[in-house]
Amino acid sequence: MDPLALGTLSLQSKYILSPMEEVSDVGFRRLCYAQGAGLTWTEMIRASGIVRKNKATLDLIDTHDPDTLTGIQLFAVNERELAVALYRLEQLAHSSHRHFMNIRAIDLNFGCPSPDVIRIGAGPALLKRTSKMEAMFDKLAHWRKTTKLPIGAIGAKIRLGLNQQEQDHKVYLRLVEPASRHLDYLAVHARHAKQRSRDPVSWGAIGEIKAIARIPVIGNGDVAGEDDAQRMLAQTGCEGVMLARAAIRSPWVFRELTGTGPALATPDEIDAAEREYLAIAQRFSTKPKYVAFHRENFARMRGAGAPVVPRNSNLA
Ligand SMILES: Cc1cc2nc3c(=O)[nH]c(=O)nc-3n(C[C@H](O)[C@H](O)[C@H](O)COP(=O)(O)O)c2cc1C
């Protein structure tokens, strides 16, 4: 199955499900993991919401399934907010939210292109501010040493800069050394934050990062299936590959990537997967909006309709 070690986690494969807003819920993650994904992520969760114990935010931490290896992706504006959120997370895990004990990894989001994030100087606006990023890496690494949560890997998901100019100045190279000092991996979405999903990716930058990183690098961007994944691994030397839209198109892409079956499922397999998804969604009270999205997507997989991507997505 092509395993990969990240921190102390032994992943069943090097193919990782991306964090996806309004998509990566517990039922969908379970399906992708069953097909061979090595690790799965919740969607981006705002640290400020954890600090305030906001119910809608806490509901996004739907790590109810202990059999699906899952990490949470956190978005924090600075290291102080991150520290308080981590402290609260631990408190909640020990009191009312036992399923938080299933969180096995933590990823810091430095890629969210939303204007309100950038306006406050957070997310990809921090990519050129290496010392601020390092302060966050350091906080996370310190917390990991003392937490009772079974965190096996910590890392960050970055873009190549806030805009083309920053990418041209290769701001992404400066953060590799601090990341290598504190983190277990770096995930690289090979676009800058002003680019949209249809804009070209720059896999070359993943290779440049890999050449100087002392931690595993996970490449991301425009991997549609087996051929792309092999090309990305060969061209960049990255250790892992992260997929978002290809997993929406077919969660069975992970079975193709791990050499255990075709990328497209039969109608019977889709029916069985949908039944299991709905049972999990009901059991763990997945939000109706998410369930509606996946039902529509399963229907699309049965036919030959156009791929669906939820509105308000990070990448819209
Ligand atoms: C519907 C949707 C939601 C997304 N939400 C997130 C998110 O919460 N956090 C994040 O870091 N990236 C998010 N992304 C970006 C993806 O994780 C990924 O970096 C991007 O789609 C490129 O990968 P791909 O070419 O495999 O789709 C989202 C993308 C999509 C399509």
Side-chain angles (χ1 to χ4, degrees):
M1 277 272 253
D2 240 352
L4 170 66
L6 290 187
T8 59
L9 297 179
S10 301
L11 312 191
Q12 63 179 353
S13 83
K14 60 172 76 154
Y15 305 104
I16 295 171
L17 177 67
S18 256
M20 278 187 282
E21 203 180 354
E22 299 187 7
V23 176
S24 304
D25 59 31
V26 55
F28 182 70
R29 294 195 311 266
R30 186 183 173 92
L31 172 56
C32 293
Y33 193 71
Q35 298 311 319
L39 176 62
T40 68
W41 293 101
T42 64
E43 69 179 79
M44 178 180 103
I45 293 163
R46 287 178 187 257
S48 58
I50 298 178
V51 170
R52 286 183 281 109
K53 298 189 189 168
N54 175 282
K55 183 178 176 333
T57 306
L58 298 183
D59 283 350
L60 296 176
I61 309 179
D62 58 347
T63 48
H64 305 279
D65 173 14
D67 300 325
T68 299
L69 194 61
T70 301
I72 63 169
Q73 189 192 52
L74 289 182
F75 167 78
V77 295
N78 56 40
E79 77 279 8
R80 291 179 300 284
E81 185 182 74
L82 177 65
V84 181
L86 292 169
Y87 172 73
R88 283 262 189 286
L89 199 62
E90 176 126 30
Q91 278 186 324
L92 289 161
H94 292 304
S95 54
S96 44
H97 291 67
R98 300 299 300 168
H99 59 285
F100 286 11
M101 291 307 281
N102 295 329
I103 301 170
R104 306 298 309 285
I106 295 202
D107 183 77
L108 299 178
N109 178 317
F110 292 101
C112 179
S114 146
D116 53 308
V117 163
I118 292 169
R119 204 175 314 119
I120 56 170
L126 286 172
L127 290 167
K128 65 169 182 296
R129 309 187 70 180
T130 317
S131 56
K132 280 195 173 283
M133 284 184 84
E134 177 154 21
M136 290 167 82
F137 298 164
D138 186 45
K139 226 15 130 199
L140 181 57
H142 260 87
W143 175 80
R144 194 259 291 267
K145 283 193 196 128
T146 56
T147 180
K148 299 234 164 34
L149 265 58
I151 305 298
I154 57 172
K157 181 165 177 276
I158 62 163
R159 290 203 183 215
L160 302 180
L162 182 58
N163 49 39
Q164 186 66 50
Q165 194 187 19
E166 286 194 11
Q167 181 176 333
D168 292 344
H169 282 103
K170 299 187 189 289
V171 293
Y172 51 88
L173 292 182
R174 295 208 303 261
L175 58 91
V176 178
E177 177 50 33
S180 296
R181 267 201 299 275
H182 301 285
L183 305 178
D184 298 318
Y185 71 87
L186 203 50
V188 183
H189 178 188
R191 290 188 174 91
H192 62 70
K194 296 280 189 261
Q195 283 183 298
R196 299 167 79 96
S197 55
R198 59 174 174 271
D199 293 328
V201 274
S202 306
W203 286 1
I206 301 174
E208 293 171 45
I209 291 171
K210 165 64 199 159
I212 57 171
R214 290 181 281 110
I215 48 176
V217 172
I218 297 162
N220 171 239
D222 273 4
V223 174
E226 168 71 3
D227 291 350
D228 292 335
Q230 290 311 323
R231 256 186 332 109
M232 176 185 270
L233 288 164
Q235 281 178 22
T236 71
C238 65
E239 279 85 358
V241 176
M242 186 179 257
L243 295 90
R245 287 165 297 163
I248 297 181
R249 278 193 290 276
S250 175
W252 286 268
V253 71
F254 290 106
R255 139 176 115 173
E256 179 196 42
L257 292 166
T258 52
T260 54
L264 295 180
T266 64
D268 283 352
E269 286 172 329
I270 296 170
D271 288 349
E274 179 165 8
R275 277 196 300 277
E276 187 179 7
Y277 171 84
L278 292 173
I280 292 172
Q282 188 175 30
R283 188 157 159 223
F284 298 119
S285 309
T286 299
K287 278 197 207 123
K289 180 160 73 165
Y290 290 53
V291 176
F293 168 76
H294 284 294
R295 293 196 79 160
E296 193 192 334
N297 198 34
F298 281 120
R300 195 260 321 146
M301 283 184 236
R302 269 187 213 96
V308 285
V309 171
R311 269 175 288 132
N312 304 328
S313 89
N314 252 344
L315 210 79

